[in-house]
Amino acid sequence: MPLNIDWKQILLHIFNFVLLFAILFFLLYNPIKKFMDKRVQYYKDMDEDTKRRSSEADEMKEAYEQKLAQVDEEIAAKRKEAEEQEEKRRAEVEERTAEEVRSILDTARADAEAEKRKIIDSAQTEIVGLVTEACQKAISTNPSDAMDGFLKQANEDKND
Amino acid sequence: MTKKTKKVILITFACILAALLVATIVVPSVEKEESIQETMKDAVLHESNKVSLFGMEVNPGLISAFVITGILFVVALIIRIFVIPKFTIIPGKFQAMLEKLVGLFTGIAETNSPHRPNVLSAYIFVAAVYIFFSTLFEMFGIQAVTTNGTPVSLPAPLSDINGAIAMGGMTYLFILSGGIIANKARGAVNSLKDFSLPISMSFRLFGAMLSGLLVTELVYYVQALSYVLPLIVGVLFTLLHAFIQSYVLITLASIFYGEVTEPHVKKPKKGKNK
């Protein structure tokens, strides 16, 4: 062959290179590449984990904010309810008080009326008694004696 | 270390260098058995200096290839056993360097062939490591004995035309197989359209590696040029073209692989305007 080209030696060179390929691939390239891929996966997992945790934290925050908003609403509703109940209770107390006042006044008015009627009745009875007595006296005694007695009484009052 | 000790060491070192320099000039060289033409022709064709491999006469480049595979196997095994199991999420310097190396080829593969980057990245990783270290290998000047009984310094495997053809052809076959797997017949046709690719790849690699080898041979052939100059020619140029050749081959392989594995998208038919 020209230029000393020898197919046998070419094949031996190819054999040598294939052997070297196998050696370097299995002993160096592949383990290093695997390690590098593992590291990439490690950081990728870490990144995904961080993102997942961040997303969970966001969801949790949102849930808490929703709960807080709900609690605020509940507090407002309870306050409103309490105010309504208080208003109702106050109205009832006022009504009851007014009722009591009215009842006391009625009782007092009735008592006063009864007292008045009793006094009038007693006065009428007394007047009737006095008149009756005066009439009996007038009938039983001499009118001049009565006049004398009256005059005598008048003089005594004058001397005093 | 005190200043005085440093000075003593420096002077001693300078004396040894001077003695060696004088010795290289004074001691007579062995008569060269071959002319520069023969040396360079042999560097290109390896016709005379053959090495025995299990009784088979082969070029020294093939021996270099097996030696490099052996060295890389031992290094890879040591790294696999002692370093990789101790890898941590936050890497140390050596781990970072290894990861950077793998990441570099993965990145090139993903850029040029986004649809099928996995096999490509592994291939260009191994090809680049092989080209880079096999080019650097020639710097060490490891000796082998030829079948003639003379010593020969083992060259870069890819400066042997058989090694370069193997590398170029294999890369082309890799691209072709990627095209067939990804796009069936269309991928095969796309790959076969670039039929000149294996030849261009092989000879580009061979030419580039050989030019470095020839310049080095030339420099070492003349004794006077053997001082200081090899530092630039032998080390810096070798380092530079080890890097460049690795880069060129993996870039070409990635681009062509990306082209043939790209999924075919049918163009929408234009509606007839009546």
Side-chain angles (χ1 to χ4, degrees):
Chain A
M1 286 287 278
L3 293 170
N4 194 23
I5 294 171
D6 181 355
W7 290 108
K8 196 183 272 182
Q9 288 192 49
I10 291 173
L11 287 174
L12 280 170
H13 272 287
I14 292 175
F15 165 77
N16 175 61
F17 185 79
V18 172
L19 185 70
L20 183 68
F21 183 87
I23 289 168
L24 291 185
F25 181 78
F26 290 111
L27 292 182
L28 272 186
Y29 180 83
N30 207 30
I32 295 171
K33 185 84 174 36
K34 268 186 185 171
F35 184 84
M36 287 164 72
D37 291 344
K38 208 169 84 179
R39 182 196 283 124
V40 169
Q41 192 59 42
Y42 171 77
Y43 282 114
K44 208 173 165 184
D45 287 349
M46 195 186 269
D47 185 47
E48 276 173 12
D49 191 46
T50 311
K51 277 181 186 163
R52 187 177 51 78
R53 281 176 187 225
S54 171
S55 142
E56 277 177 7
D58 284 346
E59 278 173 15
M60 209 177 272
K61 189 186 166 193
E62 204 175 321
Y64 279 128
E65 277 173 355
Q66 274 181 357
K67 270 188 184 177
L68 277 174
Q70 213 173 328
V71 167
D72 283 346
E73 277 175 17
E74 274 179 24
I75 289 169
K78 291 221 168 174
R79 186 179 288 152
K80 199 178 169 187
E81 196 184 337
E83 279 173 1
E84 279 174 3
Q85 278 182 354
E86 183 61 29
E87 188 68 28
K88 199 176 166 185
R89 200 180 58 81
R90 198 168 61 218
E92 278 176 7
V93 168
E94 278 177 2
E95 198 179 336
R96 206 164 48 235
T97 310
E99 190 71 30
E100 278 178 13
V101 167
R102 210 177 297 126
S103 157
I104 290 166
L105 281 174
D106 285 351
T107 312
R109 212 170 277 136
D111 287 351
E113 193 64 31
E115 192 68 26
K116 185 182 159 190
R117 196 167 291 124
K118 196 177 167 185
I119 290 167
I120 290 169
D121 286 348
S122 125
Q124 278 178 346
T125 311
E126 203 173 330
I127 290 165
V128 169
L130 283 172
V131 169
T132 310
E133 196 182 347
C135 286
Q136 281 175 349
K137 271 182 183 175
I139 294 165
S140 61
T141 58
N142 194 356
S144 57
D145 289 342
M147 194 61 173
D148 289 342
F150 175 74
L151 291 171
K152 195 179 170 185
Q153 188 69 42
N155 281 332
E156 279 175 6
D157 289 342
K158 197 178 176 182
N159 291 332
D160 289 336
Chain B
M1 193 182 283
T2 59
K3 273 188 178 180
K4 197 180 173 184
T5 322
K6 273 184 187 174
K7 208 178 272 180
V8 170
I9 290 170
L10 271 175
I11 289 166
T12 314
F13 193 65
C15 288
I16 292 168
L17 272 180
L20 284 171
L21 194 63
V22 170
T24 54
I25 295 164
V26 172
V27 174
S29 303
V30 178
E31 281 294 313
K32 297 234 181 249
E33 288 172 357
E34 42 184 22
S35 66
I36 187 159
Q37 287 84 355
E38 282 172 337
T39 307
M40 295 189 78
K41 192 182 171 193
D42 188 57
V44 178
L45 300 175
H46 304 286
E47 278 173 338
S48 53
N49 287 330
K50 297 274 187 187
V51 179
S52 174
L53 177 74
F54 304 117
M56 194 167 51
E57 281 195 352
V58 294
N59 295 345
L62 185 62
I63 305 296
S64 305
F66 283 122
V67 171
I68 288 159
T69 301
I71 293 169
L72 287 176
F73 171 64
V74 172
V75 172
L77 199 64
I78 290 170
I79 292 173
R80 181 68 188 91
I81 294 170
F82 297 108
V83 180
I84 292 176
K86 290 177 184 169
F87 271 12
T88 49
I89 294 287
I90 298 164
K93 282 178 188 170
F94 189 60
Q95 183 188 339
M97 191 199 77
L98 288 174
E99 284 184 14
K100 189 78 188 166
L101 197 68
V102 171
L104 174 77
F105 294 109
T106 311
I108 291 172
E110 279 170 358
T111 311
N112 292 306
S113 171
H115 306 288
R116 298 180 75 86
N118 294 335
V119 188
L120 176 65
S121 65
Y123 182 82
I124 60 174
F125 171 76
V126 177
V129 167
Y130 178 59
I131 295 170
F132 187 80
F133 286 105
S134 66
T135 309
L136 292 188
F137 181 74
E138 72 181 12
M139 278 201 306
F140 298 102
I142 295 171
Q143 300 290 304
V145 180
T146 63
T147 46
N148 305 330
T150 53
V152 64
S153 127
L154 289 177
L158 297 171
S159 64
D160 176 359
I161 185 129
N162 296 319
I165 288 173
M167 192 73 215
M170 213 162 27
T171 305
Y172 181 69
L173 284 177
F174 171 72
I175 293 167
L176 181 69
S177 59
I180 292 169
I181 291 166
N183 288 326
K184 309 284 181 285
R186 190 181 292 275
V189 171
N190 279 343
S191 310
L192 290 169
K193 269 196 303 188
D194 300 310
F195 62 89
S196 63
L197 189 64
I199 301 164
S200 69
M201 267 190 176
S202 305
F203 283 88
R204 180 186 291 111
L205 203 57
F206 178 58
M209 304 305 264
L210 196 65
S211 61
L213 181 78
L214 291 179
V215 172
T216 317
E217 285 280 352
L218 200 62
V219 167
Y220 279 108
Y221 193 82
V222 184
Q223 194 186 18
L225 294 174
S226 300
Y227 304 102
V228 183
L229 199 59
L231 179 70
I232 299 162
V233 177
V235 180
L236 295 183
F237 282 7
T238 308
L239 275 172
L240 196 66
H241 86 222
F243 172 74
I244 291 170
Q245 290 318 311
S246 310
Y247 182 73
V248 168
L249 189 115
I250 63 164
T251 307
L252 285 173
S254 305
I255 290 169
F256 282 109
Y257 189 86
E259 268 180 25
V260 300
T261 55
E262 194 174 15
H264 176 68
V265 181
K266 282 183 181 175
K267 288 178 184 172
K269 287 179 183 176
K270 287 179 183 176
K272 286 179 183 175
N273 295 327
K274 287 182 180 176

